[in-house]
Structure formats: structure tokens, C-alpha cells
Amino acid sequence: MKNLIEINDFSVEELKDVVKVGCDISENPGEYMDRMKGKVMATLFFEPSTRTKFSFEAAMNRLGGKLISLSEVKNSSVSKGESLKDTVKTVGCYSDIIVMRHPHEGAAKFVSEVLDVPLINAGDGGHEHPTQTLTDLLTIYIEKGRLDNLDIALVGDIKHGRTVHSLVKALSKFENNRFYFASPKHLGLPNYLKNSLDPETLFFEPDLEKVLPKVDVVYMTRIQRERFDDINYYNEIKDDYILDEEKMTFAKEDAIIMHPLPRVNEITVGVDKDPRAKYFKQVKNGMYVRMALILKLMNELDLNVVEDKGDIKYSKCINPKCITNFETVEQVEFNQSCPYNDNYHCKYCSQTIGKE
Ligand code: NCD
């Protein structure tokens, strides 16, 4: 059975396939109308969402399927003390595919262990958001005609921005892409991610005006207030990166401006009328690519997924936000999956530890 929990669950070929099918759906939506007839999708959102939840629900509706959904934890048995695994396993008895968003890192991987229907991670804390990445890839492909040979700026809260984590992982699988990170001092790329990428493709340049003339894609992000331990630091840096009409004069003529949304103030409304602004097109692309994803996961139920076998085990992960610190887990495996160093990663939240 195939899930989409981390973007690395898909090979480059699979990413290309989903993007291509998403592209076809965007051009011929009528042809896909009945493909999920008789199937039920469950959406379980333990964290706020507008776009992702609606986009999955619209996608399933447009494929002719049906939906059951939970949007408020207080309405579920989790509020009676039920474990997350039991809640999700129960939902799996009613549905053919599940979409889940949860505030804890590694939560999707954790519940997938008890499910026998495909699971889609719609965001696990500050860890990953692979379906936003499919949205972003489809947008880049439509707008730039390629997913390789790109210079990409990632701006804002790179530490907590799960969309950035999944996007950088995905784009690093394609040839000759380079990444420019512009972020406040303490909101840079998490070490686990930095250590898993080719260092020659990474550039850290906090001055946005220096980055803009170099890049084909500008990926703006919101400072993720809800994930800060120190709210004073949030207030100090929250307005550090604002893309306005004046800054846009530094960007290339054929650059594209992206944002996973919601925006707070990091792109001024004046930029919306610039033809390079693509963030609302991104929203629509998200629905098409999620239609493609649903089809892929539902049609390939017998695909074998090879799991990494780790050889370092702990009872809890050292990341305090990891799901293993909130739910019962027998052992946490740390797998070695990175070609650039000897580090091991928590199989749920990707926290790194050095080799013992
Ligand atoms: C993002 C998320 O939830 O991570 N939103 C989305 O899904 N489009 C970005 C954000 O909340 O800043």
C-alpha cells in the first residue's frame, strides 16, 4: 500500500507522473469526473486549515467520490483520551483513503503503522507538507516549463515552514537546482535537512535585494507565529521580510512569485497585480494535483514500499515536538538515509543524531 507521508516517499519519476497527470486534469477536468465513484475519503484536521482541507474535499468531489470529515478535535474521541492511533484506525474502517493534518511532527508516519488504507499527510507540525509541494511543483512546471536548472529563493520562516522543507527535498532530486535561503537569524534551515542536501547547492543570503536578481522562483513564507517558543523573538523579526512593489524591481523579468498562503503581511497587496505573482494560481493547481494524487494512491494499492531498516533505537525521540513524546511508542528507530554524511534520522520527525 502506498502512502504520501514525506515527499521522499515518491521517486523523481513518481513526482513527474503526478505533476503530468495534474497538468492533464487542469486541462481536461471533465474526463476525471467519475473516477472515484463509490469511494469515501476521510479528512482529519487536528490543526487549522482553509486551502488544504477545501482543496482535498473539492478534489474528491470533482472525482465523483464522497467525504466524511473531522475538523475540530473537541468533537472527536481524542478529547475523551483516546489514542491518536485508535482514532485514526477507527476512521480507516469507514473510509478508503485518509487525509490527516496534525500539530505533532511525525504524527502521520506514526498513525500509518496501524492503517490499511492509504494515508496522505496534510502537514505534521513544522516537519513536512508534501501535498503543498506537489502543488508547488505543478505551478513551477506550468509557469517555467521545467523542474530542473532553477535558482530558487526561499524566504521567511525556513525553520518552521514545513512547505519549504518538503519543497527543497523534492527540488533537490532534480538536476542542477540551487537554493538561496533568506531568513531571520534563528529561523534558518533545520540541521537535519541541511545535512541531507548537497552543500554546493545551498546559499545563505539574508539580504533579499541581493537574492532577487539571481533567482527564477521566489518562494515567500509566513512567519509561523504558532510554532514559536519565544513570542518576543517573533515580535522582533515578524516584519523582516516583506516583498513590496519596490523590491519587485530587483526581481528578474521572468521570475515567478509563489507563497503557500495564508499570507499575513510578507507580500503587500500591491504585488498581486504584478504578472509574476502566481500564488492564487498555485491554489487552483493544488486542487488538480491532489486529484492526481488521490488517483495514484487509490490505483496502486499493491505497490511495495520498501521501508528503511534502522539500527539505532530509542524509547523517545530527542525532539520535544516529535509525536513520540505525546503518544505511546515502543521504540523510535533512527534510520541512516542521507548520502552526504553519517547521520541518523528519527523515522517519524527526521530529527538528526550523529552516528554512535
Ligand atoms: C501552509 C501550512 O499549513 O503549512 N499552508 C498551506 O497548507 N497552504 C503554510 C502556512 O501555514 O504558513
Side-chain angles (χ1 to χ4, degrees):
M1 187 182 62
K2 188 89 174 156
N3 299 311
L4 179 60
I5 290 169
E6 303 180 1
I7 201 68
N8 283 346
D9 290 342
F10 281 7
S11 65
V12 182
E13 287 314 312
E14 288 177 299
L15 291 174
K16 283 186 191 162
D17 281 353
V18 175
V19 167
K20 281 196 187 126
V21 176
C23 214
D24 188 57
I25 296 176
S26 75
E27 286 161 9
N28 311 294
E31 289 186 17
Y32 293 84
M33 240 161 43
D34 291 325
R35 298 281 290 273
M36 281 296 115
K37 206 164 166 213
K39 301 287 183 202
V40 175
M41 167 184 273
T43 56
L44 283 171
F45 280 69
F46 296 95
E47 247 193 1
S49 169
T50 308
R51 266 151 298 272
T52 307
K53 185 165 182 293
F54 271 169
S55 143
F56 268 112
E57 295 181 352
M60 191 61 176
N61 274 310
R62 282 171 186 262
L63 291 168
K66 294 239 179 337
L67 286 148
I68 51 177
S69 81
L70 174 75
S71 48
E72 296 239 36
V73 184
K74 67 176 178 349
N75 296 335
S76 79
S77 291
V78 169
S79 67
K80 297 184 191 167
E82 187 175 46
S83 75
L84 185 63
K85 273 186 174 166
D86 282 2
T87 300
V88 179
K89 198 171 169 56
T90 303
V91 173
C93 297
Y94 305 132
S95 52
D96 302 294
I97 182 164
I98 298 183
V99 180
M100 185 181 92
R101 171 172 286 188
H102 195 279
H104 294 150
E105 298 170 10
K109 177 85 183 166
F110 178 73
V111 298
S112 72
E113 291 170 350
V114 294
L115 279 178
D116 40 27
V117 297
L119 177 73
I120 300 175
N121 177 12
D124 57 333
H127 183 220
E128 280 227 28
H129 193 345
T131 67
Q132 180 63 43
T133 295
L134 298 179
T135 304
D136 300 338
L137 295 182
L138 177 58
T139 306
I140 295 171
Y141 183 72
I142 290 174
E143 301 297 334
K144 302 298 297 178
R146 63 186 195 275
L147 293 171
D148 51 17
N149 290 292
L150 292 164
D151 287 303
I152 306 121
L154 299 127
V155 185
D157 191 346
I158 308 302
K159 178 181 177 195
H160 303 107
R162 55 193 175 193
T163 67
V164 170
H165 305 162
S166 301
L167 181 61
V168 171
K169 279 187 181 177
L171 284 172
S172 68
K173 292 174 191 268
F174 293 84
E175 293 276 291
N176 206 22
N177 286 332
R178 284 187 297 230
F179 306 97
Y180 297 78
F181 298 95
S183 67
K185 194 163 169 230
H186 301 295
L187 299 184
L189 198 61
N191 277 338
Y192 82 83
L193 193 49
K194 189 171 170 184
N195 295 335
S196 69
L197 299 165
D198 177 355
E200 293 193 356
T201 63
L202 309 179
F203 302 88
F204 299 91
E205 173 51 74
D207 186 345
L208 191 53
E209 288 180 13
K210 285 194 186 146
V211 172
L212 287 174
K214 295 184 183 154
V215 297
D216 308 300
V217 177
V218 182
Y219 195 90
M220 298 296 297
T221 65
R222 172 178 75 88
I223 306 291
Q224 310 256 307
R225 187 177 191 278
E226 70 279 20
R227 306 209 194 279
F228 275 65
D229 297 323
D230 174 7
I231 206 66
N232 293 327
Y233 183 56
Y234 168 80
N235 287 322
E236 210 178 288
I237 54 83
K238 68 181 166 48
D239 298 326
D240 278 7
Y241 289 95
I242 296 182
L243 186 64
D244 56 16
E245 288 160 274
E246 199 253 308
K247 285 232 169 47
M248 284 296 288
T249 61
F250 291 87
K252 285 186 186 175
E253 282 293 299
D254 63 348
I256 58 169
I257 312 300
M258 297 175 64
H259 191 306
L261 302 179
R263 84 174 134 185
V264 181
N265 63 348
E266 54 282 351
I267 303 180
T268 59
V269 178
V271 176
D272 294 1
K273 59 182 182 307
D274 190 305
R276 292 171 289 182
K278 303 295 179 194
Y279 26 93
F280 287 106
K281 280 196 171 170
Q282 234 173 308
V283 174
K284 192 141 201 173
N285 291 336
M287 179 181 71
Y288 295 131
V289 89
R290 287 182 173 102
M291 289 169 75
L293 173 66
I294 295 166
L295 290 177
K296 177 175 172 58
L297 297 185
M298 294 296 291
N299 291 338
E300 298 193 8
L301 290 174
D302 52 357
L303 249 179
N304 285 324
V305 188
V306 182
E307 291 277 340
D308 279 347
K309 287 275 170 281
D311 55 2
I312 299 184
K313 297 179 196 286
Y314 289 99
S315 60
K316 297 248 178 269
C317 177
I318 51 174
N319 168 11
K321 293 181 178 170
C322 178
I323 187 74
T324 58
N325 288 294
F326 299 90
E327 300 276 333
T328 311
V329 48
E330 274 169 27
Q331 278 190 318
V332 187
E333 284 179 21
F334 279 72
N335 301 317
Q336 190 184 15
S337 53
C338 163
Y340 299 106
N341 58 41
D342 283 344
N343 289 338
Y344 280 64
H345 298 264
C346 167
K347 93 169 179 189
Y348 297 107
C349 75
S350 308
Q351 171 73 41
T352 319
I353 52 165
K355 194 171 181 177
E356 284 188 334

